[in-house]
Amino acid sequence: MPSTTFFNLPAEKREKLLAAARAEFARVPYPEASINKIIQAADIPRGSFYMYFKDKEELFVHLLSAYLQAMANQMRGELQRNGGDLFAAFVGLFDAVQSCYRNPGADQLLQNLVDIIRNNMGMQLTALMGPEDLGDRLLSDLLPHIDLSRLDLREEGDLKDVFHLLLGVTGPALGGAILSGSPAEGRGRYLKILDILKRGLAAKPPAPDESVPEPQR
């Protein structure tokens, strides 16, 4: 969480610093992002930066909060359009982010998120959510719109685990599709992964009245 000093800055100065940070994190992978480049672009002293943020990670997590809201807005609309279907909401998010990448000038926040995902292909989307677990905040925001009857939830905590699993497969799938020369192929692979998750991998036990055939020798 940024310091009170940061929030007390004039709005224009705050936005200049955040814009510089967005540009830097979208330019290079997170480990290579330079605080020096950020403060130079924002035209602030290095000492002032550390009055606002503890370190680069805190700044990164703060920026992700804005991306979180953009993701929540997109997925909330998808849930409403698809009767609370969580899987359909993730497909809608996937399509919206891909569209932002293919059509420059679309939603700028999602466009920045696309660049961050592209530059951090080795990081899961859950890892990009940061140590404060922004994924849990996203789930909490979407929970009233999710139709739980569409999911096979058996224990407390299942929904959280399912949600983080979906975040975990969506990030790499987005990155792969963005870098692919065939968006349709990338989308097809993503839908196949979601289908596997929906149906499960364990073989279904036979019904009581079904006989199990003897294995061939």
Side-chain angles (χ1 to χ4, degrees), residues 5 16 27 34 60 83 86 121 129-130 137 155 170 175:
T5 305
K16 187 174 183 179
R27 184 183 70 86
S34 167
F60 187 63
L86 183 60
M121 287 292 292
M129 287 293 174
R137 285 172 48 190
E155 297 181 7
T170 300

Side-chain angles (χ1 to χ4, degrees), residues 172-210:
L174 267 173
I178 286 168
L179 296 177
S180 169
S182 174
E185 183 178 335
R187 187 179 191 273
R189 284 196 298 269
Y190 178 58
L191 292 178
K192 182 177 180 180
I193 292 171
L194 292 188
D195 184 60
I196 290 172
L197 291 177
K198 282 193 282 189
R199 72 172 188 259
L201 288 174
K204 303 297 184 291
D209 59 345
E210 291 182 2

Side-chain angles (χ1 to χ4, degrees), residues 119-135:
N119 287 332
N120 294 275
M121 287 292 292
M123 296 174 70
Q124 297 280 29
L125 190 54
T126 45
L128 285 173
M129 287 293 174
E132 293 184 7
D133 206 352
L134 300 181

